[in-house]
Amino acid sequence: MRKFLGDAFFGGACFVCRGGARAILCEACRAELPLLARELCPRCALESPGGALCGRCLAEPPAYDATVAALAYDFPADALVQALKFRGELALAPLLGGLVRERLPAGERVDWVVPVPLSAARLRSRGYNQALEIARHVAPARLDIDLCARQRDGAPQMQLPWAERQRNVRGAFDCRRALPGASIAVVDDVMTTGATLDEIARTLKRAGAARVVNWVVARTLPSA
Ligand SMILES: [Zn+2]
Ligand SMILES: [Zn+2]
């Protein structure tokens, strides 16, 4: 059904260049996706010489233990992520989820996969949670959509200065059961400051989780 919808939406044209394509992206556009360079901090997925733990993670360790990010948040990754998030292009979810899945370390095992939740109000207005749509294509067998809930919406993180994002999400999430010793993967579309993922990881660890890893489609670089 999803395959059929994808064909109906895109009519055999590449989502990016509109040239002929057998999948959502033509082979040329897929080959040009901005895959992240290899030498990344294992904890936050920012570039780090030799793939060592970066200075920021050493100085202020985040609550999450590791981050796997597939793409840099550059064109066309930004266009794909925004089309899924704001324009209901759900047929992009298998592509974006597949890119994350391909990036996971061999043998990576978690007990549960949790999409970053939307508040009930935002879910009603958007009609779907893009993080959940992505997560369905990363590790569907481990998906638990009810484990974590969002109690309230702050201002959208995108509209806030970086320094205020941490405060904006503090206490926003709630974990619905104890997770003694569990290993959890949290799925999101974009990781920018990491404030939202840090807060979710803090919430999951308070519930007993031993390890929390982020699986994200795209990583924004903080220097600008
Ligand atoms: Zn193309
Ligand atoms: Zn780091």
Side-chain angles (χ1 to χ4, degrees), residues 41 44 54 57:
C41 168
C44 71
C54 74
C57 287

Side-chain angles (χ1 to χ4, degrees), residues 16-224:
V16 173
C17 72
R18 300 288 166 195
R22 287 159 168 252
I24 284 183
L25 296 190
C26 71
E27 284 176 25
C29 286
R30 187 169 169 120
E32 283 178 15
L33 285 173
L35 295 177
L36 273 173
R38 282 217 187 117
E39 296 198 337
L40 303 175
C41 168
R43 196 145 182 180
C44 71
L46 292 181
E47 287 187 28
S48 173
L53 203 60
C54 74
R56 189 166 156 256
C57 287
L58 280 171
E60 280 186 74
Y64 48 80
D65 298 280
T67 299
V68 174
L71 304 172
Y73 193 58
D74 294 327
F75 186 82
D78 53 356
L80 298 173
V81 162
Q82 287 168 26
L84 172 62
K85 187 172 194 161
F86 298 117
R87 300 211 309 274
E89 301 279 15
L90 298 183
L92 288 167
L95 168 72
L96 299 179
L99 287 163
V100 176
R101 195 177 60 240
E102 286 166 21
R103 195 75 180 192
L104 298 181
E108 174 87 311
R109 283 191 163 270
V110 295
D111 297 308
W112 307 109
V113 174
V114 179
V116 170
L118 297 180
S119 69
R122 187 151 302 156
L123 187 58
R124 265 197 305 277
S125 68
R126 189 174 294 165
Y128 61 95
N129 176 356
Q130 74 282 0
L132 168 58
E133 297 307 317
I134 293 163
R136 288 186 202 284
H137 298 280
V138 183
R142 294 278 162 193
L143 196 55
D144 187 333
I145 59 172
D146 295 319
L147 202 159
C148 200
R150 187 166 193 137
Q151 297 308 321
R152 59 177 174 78
D153 291 308
Q157 291 286 79
M158 280 161 62
Q159 294 171 9
L160 292 177
W162 286 52
E164 287 178 26
R165 293 184 181 194
Q166 194 91 46
R167 201 172 49 217
N168 188 47
V169 291
R170 181 121 316 151
F173 301 101
D174 202 26
C175 191
R176 291 180 166 160
R177 62 172 191 268
L179 298 164
S183 175
I184 313 277
V186 180
V187 174
D188 208 358
D189 52 355
V190 186
M191 179 177 185
T192 304
T193 62
T196 301
L197 290 163
D198 190 40
E199 184 63 22
I200 292 184
R202 202 180 307 281
T203 305
L204 292 167
K205 287 198 167 174
R206 218 180 286 130
R211 186 163 190 269
V212 178
V213 299
N214 304 320
W215 292 352
V216 301
V217 173
R219 183 67 163 109
T220 306
L221 306 181
S223 53

